Each structure stands twice: as structure tokens, then as C-alpha cells.
Amino acid sequence: MLETLARWSMLSVAHVLTGVRGVTTTPLPSKPCVYFGNHVSHGDFALIWAVLPSAQRARTRPVAGADYWEKGPLRRYVGRKVVRAVLIEREREQRNEDPIAQMSAVLAGGENLILFPEGTRNLTDDVLLPFKSGLYHLGRSNPGLPLVPVWIDNLHRVLPKGELIPIPLLCTLHFGAPIEVGEGEDKPTFLARAREALLAQRPAHLVEAS
Amino acid sequence: MSTTLTLFLGIFVVLGFASSVALILRLTVAKGRPHAVIDNLFDRINAWWVMVALVALAFAFGKSGVIVLFALLSLLALREFVTLTYTRRSDHLALAMAFYVALPMQYALIAIDWYGMYSIFIPVYGFLFLPIISALRADTTRFLDRIAAVQWALMLAVFCLSHVPALVTLQIPGFEGREILLIAFLVIVVQSSDVLQYVWGKLFGKHKVAPSLSPSKTWEGLIGGVLSSTLLGAGLWWITPFTPLQAAGIAFSINLMGFFGGLVMSAIKRDHGVKDWGHLIAGHGGVLDRLDSVLFSAPVFFHIVRYGFTP
């Protein structure tokens, strides 16, 4: 009950503050898939949620760092109950569970994932940080898994790091055609291809400006 | 009040006629199948019904109604403008001030009718103080581009647009209590000029005015649209303090300003590689796509009336 209310408030704020809109060129996959996007803010996944059809939204869970979301009772509540995050341990030494197995189990259960392959929020001037290898390993352990690139445009300007007041700029999510890890494709080749697929979703005026 | 009612009844009749024509076109030309131009025409007319209903609602609340309506439109227009332009993290505070201080302040100054301040607040104080805020962050990358974008955004989306509700503060002898009709005159004349330019252009358009800026603007559309909406303006003299001849002259000036406003705003859009400012109004684009002509005509109309018709 409380979770439903919290989710509803979160989505309402996302809609009113950013007027978020999803742009798709191909239909979203009907089988379980992974949405992977650029990570600029804690609100990223809320925007993806906000534009997904409600039936999809209920079956789509963000992958997030356990170190961040296990800190304190409020974060734990939001992370586990409100957004139903799949919490993975980012530091290899502290792992009890294999993150790829965790994520594959969720997909096997018929749910979608939201993944930010940069591994952390990009607070630099670079357009996109190097990808971590999780997306590759996940795609390899689940052959045929559709990986949908989602470029999140403008959210970093709504509330940049270190600022207190959000400003109501318009955000747009650009969904690209799904990609898969090819048979026998090696890690660097795939990660470069995935990165290109995500960058290709940027609107033309941003590509020229940068 | 009866003038306002007559006016809105007239607008409803015109929109009803437009909807009927669109329906007939859908049945005869499109034969119920999808048809890009006719479907877009339907979207546009339906959006007009919503926009007219919103204006009618604001008018029902009088002066405060139109001030609130245009403050909200300024907010939507400002976000569309800033979204498209280049700013950096160092401009965040300046932008927050634009949204949360300059915008409400401008409309509050209009509400208390402080002409001496609202006519210089953004052009002078905004112009001087916002770059100071950005400069204090010591980030010089494309500095002039960034502060110019913020200033332009405020000037167009807030300063220019606020001259529409400011019309109700004008004290015209013999016209007391009917000032809100000046807004109706401005909006009807300028918007119908846009619509009539579109209609004339679609029917007879051949020679493009500025093909690199706007492929849909033709000389046939421009001349036919501006002249016919000038006639419409003259025909609306009875809702204004103007004589029919004055109404025609004023309508002609604001129609030209409106046309050039559309041209300037198109230049900014083309420069940024987009077709529309936003997606809020189905068939039209963003709020700025619908208001571009009003932005340029409102301050000119305001000052013509202020210098020509108030003591």
C-alpha cells in the first residue's frame, strides 16, 4: 500500500518535473529483456519506468549497487520494496553471490532488468564512461537475450551533482533496436558495439554540439 | 460581459465549422483511412478546442485568471527554450533563478501594475545579474553562448509573453472594465493569421519565402494570410477601443511581427536541428511553436495601445 503510494509519487514527480517522453523506433521486446542506459543521476531508472507501459513497468527491475542501497533503513526500504531493485555487490572481494546468476534468475522469472553498464553515475564532461563487463557476461549466459539501448537525454541538467534545486527541463528517452551478444563474440568487441548502439540513440543536435 | 460571450460564441461557431470541414474531408478524401495531412488537421483543430476552452476559463476569472494562465504558459515556454539550448552545470543557479525568481516576479509586478519595474526587470536587472551568477562559478567554456541563451530564454518566454496579460492593466478612457478584450483581439488576430497563412499556403502556395528556414512559408500564404487576418482585425473593431481603420492598421502591424517571430524562432530551431520546440500540443508541437508569433507581436501591440490610447 505504502509502496504503491511511494511509486505513484515518484512517477508523478518524474512526469511533472521533466515532462518525460519515450521515443521508440522499433517495438519493445515482448520477451524478458535488459534495458541499458547512460547513467547520470539517481533518477535515471525512474524515467525509464515512467515511460514504460504500466504492465511492463510492474515486471521491470533496476540493477543497483548493494553498497549504496543497503546503507540505512530508508534506502533499504526504497531499494527493496519501492523500486524492487536487484541489489548486487560491486566489489568483487565482498561478493557472496554471483551477480550474473542473480540477474539471470530474475530474467528466468519473466522479469526485465534496467542496467547501467557504466557502473556508476557519470559526473564528468565525457559523454559516456567505459562500460563494465556485466552486460557482456549477462548476454553470454542468456543466449538470445534482447539488450535494448536507452539514451537518457537531459536529466543531468535537471539536477547536476552538488546542486539542491531541480529545474524543470524536458527529458526524452530514446529507445534503440535491441542487440544481442553474438556467438563467439569477444568482450571488447561486444562492449564497443553496445556502447556505439547507445551513443547512436543521441539526438542529432547533441551529437553536433559535443 | 455580453461582448465577451458573443465573441466566444463566434469562436465556437468557427471551430465547429472547421471541425465539420475536417470531418467531411476525412469521409470524402481520406475515406476513413489514415491520411497524414487530414489527420494532422484533426489534431490541430482538436487542440484548438482545448486551447480556446482554457482561455475561456481564464477569462471567466478575469485579470487574475489571465495572469495565472500566461505565467504557466511562460513556464512551459521557458523549459522548452532552455531544454534546446546549450548550458553547463555552472549555469544551474542562474537557470534556477530564471525559473523560480524572475518568472514569478515578472508576473507579480504585472499583477500589482508596476509598469516602471516590469518593463525593465528582465531586460536590465536580469541581463546584468544572471551573467554575474554564472561568472562566479569560474567556468569560461562558451560563456557568451550560455549567458546569451539564458537571457534570450527569459526575454522571449517570460518578458515578451507577459505583455499579453499586461494589457489588462492599461487604463483606456471609455473602455474601463473591458480591457481583457484587448487580449482577445491580439490572440485572435495573430493566431488566425497563422491559421490563414497555413490555409492560403496549402491552397495556393508556390513560391517559398525562406526555404532554408521554413519550407511551409510561402509568399501566397503570407500575403493571403496577413491580408485576410488584417480584414478580420478590422471586423473586430467593436471589441476594441479602436476605429475600424485603426483596428486594421494595428492588426496589420501585429500580423507582420507575428510572421517575423515565426521566422526567427524557426531559425533557432533549424540551428539546433529540430522541427518542433516540444510535443505538448498534438498536431502543433510545443507551446513555443504555437506562441512564436504572439511573443513577437505582444510587446509591440502593448506599446501601440499604451502610447496611442491611454492618457
Side-chain angles (χ1 to χ4, degrees):
Chain A
M1 181 62 206
L2 191 60
E3 288 91 59
T4 314
L5 188 68
R7 269 194 287 273
W8 181 84
S9 324
M10 195 172 73
L11 294 176
S12 305
V13 169
H15 277 293
V16 172
L17 186 65
T18 71
V20 64
R21 206 169 54 90
V23 179
T24 48
T25 43
T26 43
L28 302 178
S30 45
K31 58 176 179 174
C33 67
V34 175
Y35 298 102
F36 70 99
N38 53 319
H39 199 13
V40 291
S41 141
H42 288 307
D44 287 333
F45 105 88
L47 289 198
I48 296 184
W49 250 22
V51 300
L52 285 179
S54 58
Q56 277 253 18
R57 186 187 310 141
R59 294 189 292 107
T60 303
R61 301 170 62 181
V63 177
D67 49 300
Y68 182 87
W69 289 102
E70 292 287 4
K71 212 175 280 173
L74 182 66
R75 276 189 200 175
R76 199 171 305 136
Y77 174 74
V78 172
R80 287 192 174 171
K81 300 283 185 187
V82 180
V83 308
R84 293 174 56 240
V86 180
L87 296 179
I88 58 166
E89 190 50 66
R90 281 187 283 200
E91 296 301 322
R92 197 174 291 270
E93 301 79 52
Q94 295 170 20
R95 272 177 196 163
N96 303 320
E97 270 185 284
D98 172 19
I100 302 299
Q102 272 178 281
M103 290 188 264
S104 300
V106 174
L107 292 166
E111 294 187 302
N112 310 314
L113 293 174
I114 297 173
L115 193 66
F116 298 103
E118 293 165 278
T120 183
R121 283 177 298 150
N122 178 6
L123 305 170
T124 69
D125 273 347
D126 296 342
V127 61
L128 199 58
L129 298 175
F131 279 10
K132 307 268 186 212
S133 53
L135 190 65
Y136 172 71
H137 294 304
L138 186 62
R140 248 179 72 111
S141 338
N142 297 273
L145 173 67
L147 310 167
V148 182
V150 187
W151 183 264
I152 300 168
D153 185 22
N154 236 4
L155 192 57
H156 61 295
R157 292 173 71 203
V158 171
L159 188 63
K161 193 200 178 193
E163 302 290 345
L164 292 175
I165 316 161
I167 54 172
L169 299 182
L170 297 167
C171 295
T172 311
L173 305 191
H174 301 269
F175 290 76
I179 60 168
E180 292 171 13
V181 178
E183 235 185 273
E185 190 174 20
D186 65 9
K187 194 168 82 177
T189 316
F190 169 76
L191 289 179
R193 193 159 67 85
R195 200 183 140 84
E196 282 311 310
L198 182 54
L199 285 173
Q201 306 312 317
R202 281 189 304 164
H205 70 273
L206 288 182
V207 178
E208 274 170 39
S210 63
Chain B
M1 198 59 220
S2 66
T3 319
T4 316
L5 273 182
T6 316
L7 193 63
F8 274 102
L9 276 178
I11 295 171
F12 288 143
V13 169
V14 171
L15 279 181
F17 176 71
S19 287
S20 319
V21 170
L23 190 63
I24 291 168
L25 283 176
R26 175 168 276 182
L27 292 174
T28 56
V29 179
K31 297 194 167 48
R33 282 192 295 272
H35 185 292
V37 176
I38 293 173
D39 291 345
N40 178 264
L41 184 67
F42 250 91
D43 283 346
R44 280 175 183 246
I45 296 171
N46 289 342
W48 275 118
W49 280 104
V50 177
M51 290 188 277
V52 169
L54 279 175
V55 173
L57 184 69
F59 271 38
F61 286 92
K63 183 181 162 186
S64 48
V66 291
I67 290 180
V68 169
L69 174 67
F70 280 90
L72 288 174
L73 290 174
S74 272
L75 177 66
L76 296 172
L78 186 63
R79 96 197 298 205
E80 284 176 5
F81 197 98
V82 175
T83 295
L84 201 61
T85 51
Y86 178 81
T87 61
R88 289 165 64 81
R89 196 187 294 172
S90 338
D91 302 309
H92 192 78
L93 186 59
L95 286 170
M97 298 285 276
F99 276 99
Y100 302 123
V101 179
L103 191 159
M105 182 76 100
Q106 175 73 7
Y107 282 90
L109 291 169
I110 287 170
I112 61 168
D113 194 12
W114 187 359
Y115 170 78
M117 186 51 88
Y118 73 68
S119 54
I120 63 163
F121 176 62
I122 289 170
V124 177
Y125 294 103
F127 176 76
L128 296 175
F129 281 91
L130 292 177
I132 294 177
I133 295 172
S134 285
L136 286 173
R137 305 285 288 266
D139 172 6
T140 55
T141 307
R142 290 175 66 184
F143 185 72
L144 187 57
D145 288 2
R146 288 156 38 204
I147 58 167
V150 176
Q151 179 64 11
W152 257 74
L154 267 181
M155 279 301 288
L156 284 173
V158 182
F159 180 79
C160 287
L161 194 57
S162 73
H163 283 71
V164 180
L167 288 165
V168 296
T169 65
L170 295 175
Q171 310 272 317
I172 302 161
F175 196 64
E176 291 87 355
R178 288 187 288 161
E179 296 84 0
I180 207 163
L181 289 170
L182 290 170
I183 296 183
F185 180 80
L186 168 69
V187 174
I188 292 172
V189 168
V190 175
Q191 295 291 357
S192 67
S193 172
D194 285 359
V195 173
L196 290 166
Q197 283 176 44
Y198 167 88
V199 173
W200 281 86
K202 279 266 180 274
L203 293 177
F204 306 107
K206 280 207 177 65
H207 306 88
K208 296 193 186 334
V209 179
S212 57
L213 281 188
S214 176
S216 60
K217 287 193 167 61
T218 60
W219 280 106
E220 291 81 0
L222 170 62
I223 295 168
V226 167
L227 288 185
S228 47
S229 64
T230 298
L231 278 179
L232 176 75
L236 284 174
W237 66 275
W238 52 279
I239 67 164
T240 69
F242 322 135
T243 65
L245 198 61
Q246 287 169 336
I250 293 172
F252 183 69
S253 328
I254 58 181
N255 283 336
L256 278 188
M257 282 311 291
F259 171 77
F260 289 122
L263 217 54
V264 170
M265 298 299 276
S266 282
I268 300 175
K269 285 189 285 187
R270 292 294 168 274
D271 183 27
H272 289 83
V274 297
K275 203 179 126 295
D276 290 321
W277 286 99
H279 300 84
L280 194 64
I281 317 174
H284 295 259
V287 170
L288 276 175
D289 292 291
R290 194 60 274 140
L291 288 179
D292 51 7
S293 48
V294 176
L295 300 181
F296 274 65
S297 53
V300 171
F301 180 66
F302 176 88
H303 288 292
I304 290 175
V305 179
R306 184 166 187 277
Y307 289 111
F309 297 86
T310 65

Short mmCIF file of all heavy atoms in Angstrom, two decimals, chain A residues 121-160:
data_model
loop_
_atom_site.label_atom_id
_atom_site.label_comp_id
_atom_site.label_asym_id
_atom_site.label_seq_id
_atom_site.Cartn_x
_atom_site.Cartn_y
_atom_site.Cartn_z
N ARG A 121 27.43 6.62 -11.65
CA ARG A 121 26.91 7.81 -12.32
C ARG A 121 28.04 8.57 -13.01
O ARG A 121 29.12 8.74 -12.44
CB ARG A 121 26.22 8.72 -11.30
CG ARG A 121 24.85 8.21 -10.91
CD ARG A 121 24.25 9.10 -9.87
NE ARG A 121 25.05 9.10 -8.65
CZ ARG A 121 25.13 10.13 -7.82
NH1 ARG A 121 24.47 11.24 -8.07
NH2 ARG A 121 25.86 10.06 -6.74
N ASN A 122 27.76 9.03 -14.21
CA ASN A 122 28.77 9.78 -14.96
C ASN A 122 28.66 11.25 -14.59
O ASN A 122 27.74 11.94 -15.01
CB ASN A 122 28.51 9.58 -16.46
CG ASN A 122 29.49 10.37 -17.32
OD1 ASN A 122 30.43 10.98 -16.80
ND2 ASN A 122 29.27 10.36 -18.62
N LEU A 123 29.62 11.74 -13.81
CA LEU A 123 29.59 13.14 -13.38
C LEU A 123 30.68 13.93 -14.08
O LEU A 123 30.99 15.06 -13.71
CB LEU A 123 29.74 13.23 -11.86
CG LEU A 123 28.71 12.38 -11.09
CD1 LEU A 123 29.04 12.31 -9.62
CD2 LEU A 123 27.31 12.91 -11.28
N THR A 124 31.26 13.33 -15.12
CA THR A 124 32.34 14.00 -15.85
C THR A 124 31.76 14.73 -17.06
O THR A 124 30.57 14.67 -17.32
CB THR A 124 33.36 12.97 -16.36
OG1 THR A 124 32.73 12.20 -17.40
CG2 THR A 124 33.80 12.03 -15.26
N ASP A 125 32.64 15.39 -17.81
CA ASP A 125 32.21 16.04 -19.05
C ASP A 125 32.17 15.05 -20.21
O ASP A 125 31.67 15.37 -21.28
CB ASP A 125 33.17 17.19 -19.40
CG ASP A 125 32.73 18.48 -18.70
OD1 ASP A 125 31.59 18.51 -18.19
OD2 ASP A 125 33.52 19.44 -18.67
N ASP A 126 32.73 13.83 -20.01
CA ASP A 126 32.69 12.83 -21.08
C ASP A 126 31.25 12.41 -21.31
O ASP A 126 30.45 12.34 -20.38
CB ASP A 126 33.50 11.59 -20.69
CG ASP A 126 34.97 11.92 -20.55
OD1 ASP A 126 35.37 12.98 -21.07
OD2 ASP A 126 35.71 11.15 -19.89
N VAL A 127 30.96 12.08 -22.57
CA VAL A 127 29.58 11.78 -22.90
C VAL A 127 29.16 10.44 -22.30
O VAL A 127 28.02 10.27 -21.86
CB VAL A 127 29.36 11.88 -24.42
CG1 VAL A 127 30.23 10.88 -25.16
CG2 VAL A 127 27.93 11.68 -24.77
N LEU A 128 30.10 9.47 -22.23
CA LEU A 128 29.77 8.13 -21.72
C LEU A 128 31.05 7.51 -21.17
O LEU A 128 32.08 7.52 -21.82
CB LEU A 128 29.23 7.28 -22.88
CG LEU A 128 28.41 6.04 -22.60
CD1 LEU A 128 27.19 6.37 -21.76
CD2 LEU A 128 27.98 5.38 -23.91
N LEU A 129 30.98 6.95 -19.95
CA LEU A 129 32.15 6.30 -19.37
C LEU A 129 32.36 4.92 -20.02
O LEU A 129 31.44 4.40 -20.62
CB LEU A 129 31.95 6.13 -17.85
CG LEU A 129 31.78 7.41 -17.04
CD1 LEU A 129 31.46 7.07 -15.58
CD2 LEU A 129 33.04 8.26 -17.12
N PRO A 130 33.55 4.32 -19.85
CA PRO A 130 33.75 2.96 -20.38
C PRO A 130 32.78 1.99 -19.72
O PRO A 130 32.43 2.16 -18.55
CB PRO A 130 35.19 2.63 -19.96
CG PRO A 130 35.83 3.93 -19.64
CD PRO A 130 34.75 4.85 -19.19
N PHE A 131 32.33 0.99 -20.49
CA PHE A 131 31.38 0.01 -19.96
C PHE A 131 32.08 -1.04 -19.10
O PHE A 131 33.17 -1.49 -19.43
CB PHE A 131 30.66 -0.72 -21.11
CG PHE A 131 29.51 0.06 -21.70
CD1 PHE A 131 29.31 1.39 -21.37
CD2 PHE A 131 28.64 -0.55 -22.59
CE1 PHE A 131 28.26 2.11 -21.92
CE2 PHE A 131 27.58 0.17 -23.14
CZ PHE A 131 27.39 1.49 -22.81
N LYS A 132 31.43 -1.45 -18.00
CA LYS A 132 31.89 -2.62 -17.24
C LYS A 132 31.46 -3.87 -18.00
O LYS A 132 30.62 -3.80 -18.91
CB LYS A 132 31.25 -2.62 -15.84
CG LYS A 132 31.45 -1.33 -15.08
CD LYS A 132 32.69 -1.41 -14.24
CE LYS A 132 32.80 -0.17 -13.36
NZ LYS A 132 34.19 0.20 -13.11
N SER A 133 31.98 -5.01 -17.59
CA SER A 133 31.76 -6.21 -18.42
C SER A 133 30.45 -6.94 -18.13
O SER A 133 30.12 -7.89 -18.82
CB SER A 133 32.94 -7.17 -18.24
OG SER A 133 33.13 -7.41 -16.87
N GLY A 134 29.70 -6.50 -17.08
CA GLY A 134 28.48 -7.22 -16.69
C GLY A 134 27.50 -7.47 -17.83
O GLY A 134 26.95 -8.57 -17.95
N LEU A 135 27.29 -6.47 -18.68
CA LEU A 135 26.34 -6.59 -19.77
C LEU A 135 26.73 -7.74 -20.70
O LEU A 135 25.89 -8.52 -21.15
CB LEU A 135 26.27 -5.27 -20.54
CG LEU A 135 25.17 -5.10 -21.57
CD1 LEU A 135 23.80 -5.08 -20.91
CD2 LEU A 135 25.37 -3.82 -22.38
N TYR A 136 28.06 -7.85 -20.93
CA TYR A 136 28.56 -8.92 -21.81
C TYR A 136 28.32 -10.30 -21.20
O TYR A 136 27.78 -11.18 -21.85
CB TYR A 136 30.06 -8.70 -22.06
CG TYR A 136 30.74 -9.83 -22.78
CD1 TYR A 136 30.49 -10.06 -24.14
CD2 TYR A 136 31.63 -10.68 -22.11
CE1 TYR A 136 31.12 -11.10 -24.81
CE2 TYR A 136 32.26 -11.71 -22.76
CZ TYR A 136 32.01 -11.93 -24.11
OH TYR A 136 32.62 -12.95 -24.76
N HIS A 137 28.72 -10.45 -19.93
CA HIS A 137 28.56 -11.75 -19.28
C HIS A 137 27.09 -12.15 -19.18
O HIS A 137 26.73 -13.31 -19.38
CB HIS A 137 29.20 -11.73 -17.89
CG HIS A 137 30.69 -11.56 -17.96
ND1 HIS A 137 31.49 -12.43 -18.68
CD2 HIS A 137 31.51 -10.63 -17.43
CE1 HIS A 137 32.75 -12.03 -18.59
NE2 HIS A 137 32.80 -10.93 -17.83
N LEU A 138 26.24 -11.16 -18.89
CA LEU A 138 24.80 -11.43 -18.79
C LEU A 138 24.26 -11.91 -20.14
O LEU A 138 23.51 -12.89 -20.22
CB LEU A 138 24.08 -10.16 -18.35
CG LEU A 138 22.60 -10.28 -18.05
CD1 LEU A 138 22.35 -11.26 -16.91
CD2 LEU A 138 22.00 -8.93 -17.71
N GLY A 139 24.67 -11.23 -21.22
CA GLY A 139 24.20 -11.59 -22.56
C GLY A 139 24.72 -12.95 -22.99
O GLY A 139 24.03 -13.69 -23.69
N ARG A 140 25.93 -13.29 -22.55
CA ARG A 140 26.51 -14.59 -22.93
C ARG A 140 25.85 -15.74 -22.19
O ARG A 140 25.63 -16.81 -22.74
CB ARG A 140 28.00 -14.58 -22.67
CG ARG A 140 28.81 -14.60 -23.95
CD ARG A 140 30.26 -14.58 -23.65
NE ARG A 140 30.71 -15.85 -23.08
CZ ARG A 140 31.51 -16.67 -23.75
NH1 ARG A 140 31.91 -16.37 -24.95
NH2 ARG A 140 31.90 -17.79 -23.19
N SER A 141 25.54 -15.51 -20.90
CA SER A 141 24.90 -16.60 -20.13
C SER A 141 23.45 -16.79 -20.53
O SER A 141 22.84 -17.77 -20.16
CB SER A 141 24.95 -16.35 -18.62
OG SER A 141 25.95 -15.48 -18.28
N ASN A 142 22.87 -15.78 -21.22
CA ASN A 142 21.47 -15.91 -21.64
C ASN A 142 21.38 -15.69 -23.14
O ASN A 142 21.00 -14.62 -23.60
CB ASN A 142 20.60 -14.87 -20.92
CG ASN A 142 20.59 -15.05 -19.42
OD1 ASN A 142 19.79 -15.80 -18.88
ND2 ASN A 142 21.51 -14.39 -18.74
N PRO A 143 21.73 -16.72 -23.93
CA PRO A 143 21.78 -16.53 -25.39
C PRO A 143 20.43 -16.05 -25.92
O PRO A 143 19.38 -16.52 -25.48
CB PRO A 143 22.10 -17.93 -25.93
CG PRO A 143 22.71 -18.65 -24.77
CD PRO A 143 22.07 -18.10 -23.54
N GLY A 144 20.49 -15.10 -26.85
CA GLY A 144 19.26 -14.57 -27.45
C GLY A 144 18.58 -13.50 -26.63
O GLY A 144 17.52 -13.01 -27.01
N LEU A 145 19.19 -13.12 -25.49
CA LEU A 145 18.59 -12.10 -24.63
C LEU A 145 18.64 -10.72 -25.32
O LEU A 145 19.71 -10.26 -25.69
CB LEU A 145 19.36 -12.03 -23.31
CG LEU A 145 19.01 -10.92 -22.32
CD1 LEU A 145 17.62 -11.12 -21.76
CD2 LEU A 145 20.03 -10.88 -21.19
N PRO A 146 17.46 -10.08 -25.53
CA PRO A 146 17.49 -8.76 -26.17
C PRO A 146 18.00 -7.68 -25.23
O PRO A 146 17.54 -7.57 -24.09
CB PRO A 146 16.02 -8.49 -26.54
CG PRO A 146 15.24 -9.71 -26.14
CD PRO A 146 16.09 -10.49 -25.20
N LEU A 147 18.98 -6.90 -25.70
CA LEU A 147 19.55 -5.81 -24.90
C LEU A 147 19.15 -4.50 -25.59
O LEU A 147 19.57 -4.23 -26.71
CB LEU A 147 21.07 -5.95 -24.82
CG LEU A 147 21.60 -7.33 -24.41
CD1 LEU A 147 23.09 -7.45 -24.68
CD2 LEU A 147 21.29 -7.61 -22.94
N VAL A 148 18.32 -3.71 -24.91
CA VAL A 148 17.75 -2.52 -25.55
C VAL A 148 18.49 -1.26 -25.08
O VAL A 148 18.45 -0.93 -23.90
CB VAL A 148 16.25 -2.37 -25.20
CG1 VAL A 148 15.65 -1.17 -25.91
CG2 VAL A 148 15.49 -3.64 -25.51
N PRO A 149 19.17 -0.56 -26.01
CA PRO A 149 19.84 0.69 -25.60
C PRO A 149 18.83 1.80 -25.36
O PRO A 149 17.88 1.96 -26.12
CB PRO A 149 20.74 1.02 -26.79
CG PRO A 149 20.13 0.33 -27.96
CD PRO A 149 19.39 -0.87 -27.43
N VAL A 150 19.00 2.55 -24.27
CA VAL A 150 18.11 3.67 -23.94
C VAL A 150 18.95 4.89 -23.63
O VAL A 150 19.66 4.92 -22.61
CB VAL A 150 17.24 3.37 -22.70
CG1 VAL A 150 16.21 4.49 -22.51
CG2 VAL A 150 16.56 2.03 -22.80
N TRP A 151 18.93 5.90 -24.51
CA TRP A 151 19.67 7.12 -24.22
C TRP A 151 18.79 8.06 -23.42
O TRP A 151 17.69 8.41 -23.82
CB TRP A 151 20.13 7.81 -25.51
CG TRP A 151 20.94 9.02 -25.17
CD1 TRP A 151 20.50 10.30 -25.10
CD2 TRP A 151 22.31 9.04 -24.79
NE1 TRP A 151 21.53 11.13 -24.70
CE2 TRP A 151 22.65 10.39 -24.50
CE3 TRP A 151 23.31 8.05 -24.64
CZ2 TRP A 151 23.93 10.77 -24.09
CZ3 TRP A 151 24.58 8.44 -24.24
CH2 TRP A 151 24.87 9.78 -23.98
N ILE A 152 19.27 8.44 -22.23
CA ILE A 152 18.51 9.33 -21.35
C ILE A 152 19.03 10.75 -21.56
O ILE A 152 20.18 11.06 -21.23
CB ILE A 152 18.66 8.89 -19.89
CG1 ILE A 152 18.13 7.47 -19.74
CG2 ILE A 152 17.93 9.85 -18.96
CD1 ILE A 152 18.46 6.82 -18.45
N ASP A 153 18.17 11.57 -22.13
CA ASP A 153 18.61 12.90 -22.54
C ASP A 153 18.17 13.96 -21.55
O ASP A 153 16.97 14.08 -21.26
CB ASP A 153 18.01 13.18 -23.93
CG ASP A 153 18.52 14.50 -24.51
OD1 ASP A 153 19.60 14.94 -24.05
OD2 ASP A 153 17.85 15.06 -25.37
N ASN A 154 19.11 14.72 -21.04
CA ASN A 154 18.85 15.96 -20.31
C ASN A 154 18.71 15.85 -18.80
O ASN A 154 18.67 16.87 -18.13
CB ASN A 154 17.60 16.66 -20.84
CG ASN A 154 17.91 18.07 -21.28
OD1 ASN A 154 19.07 18.48 -21.26
ND2 ASN A 154 16.92 18.82 -21.64
N LEU A 155 18.61 14.63 -18.24
CA LEU A 155 18.36 14.55 -16.80
C LEU A 155 19.51 15.15 -16.00
O LEU A 155 19.30 15.72 -14.91
CB LEU A 155 18.09 13.11 -16.37
CG LEU A 155 17.55 12.96 -14.95
CD1 LEU A 155 16.27 13.75 -14.77
CD2 LEU A 155 17.31 11.50 -14.60
N HIS A 156 20.74 15.07 -16.53
CA HIS A 156 21.88 15.62 -15.80
C HIS A 156 21.76 17.13 -15.64
O HIS A 156 22.38 17.72 -14.77
CB HIS A 156 23.19 15.26 -16.50
CG HIS A 156 23.28 15.82 -17.91
ND1 HIS A 156 22.43 15.41 -18.91
CD2 HIS A 156 24.10 16.75 -18.44
CE1 HIS A 156 22.73 16.07 -20.01
NE2 HIS A 156 23.73 16.89 -19.76
N ARG A 157 20.96 17.77 -16.53
CA ARG A 157 20.80 19.22 -16.41
C ARG A 157 19.69 19.58 -15.42
O ARG A 157 19.64 20.70 -14.94
CB ARG A 157 20.48 19.84 -17.77
CG ARG A 157 21.65 19.76 -18.74
CD ARG A 157 21.21 20.22 -20.11
NE ARG A 157 20.98 21.67 -20.16
CZ ARG A 157 20.20 22.26 -21.06
NH1 ARG A 157 19.55 21.52 -21.95
NH2 ARG A 157 20.06 23.56 -21.05
N VAL A 158 18.78 18.64 -15.16
CA VAL A 158 17.68 18.93 -14.24
C VAL A 158 18.23 19.13 -12.82
O VAL A 158 17.87 20.07 -12.13
CB VAL A 158 16.64 17.79 -14.27
CG1 VAL A 158 15.62 17.96 -13.16
CG2 VAL A 158 15.95 17.77 -15.62
N LEU A 159 19.11 18.23 -12.43
CA LEU A 159 19.71 18.36 -11.09
C LEU A 159 21.16 17.87 -11.14
O LEU A 159 21.44 16.72 -10.84
CB LEU A 159 18.92 17.54 -10.06
CG LEU A 159 19.33 17.75 -8.61
CD1 LEU A 159 19.10 19.18 -8.18
CD2 LEU A 159 18.60 16.79 -7.69
N PRO A 160 22.10 18.76 -11.49
CA PRO A 160 23.50 18.34 -11.54
C PRO A 160 24.02 18.01 -10.14
O PRO A 160 23.45 18.46 -9.15
CB PRO A 160 24.23 19.57 -12.10
CG PRO A 160 23.17 20.45 -12.65
CD PRO A 160 21.94 20.16 -11.88
#
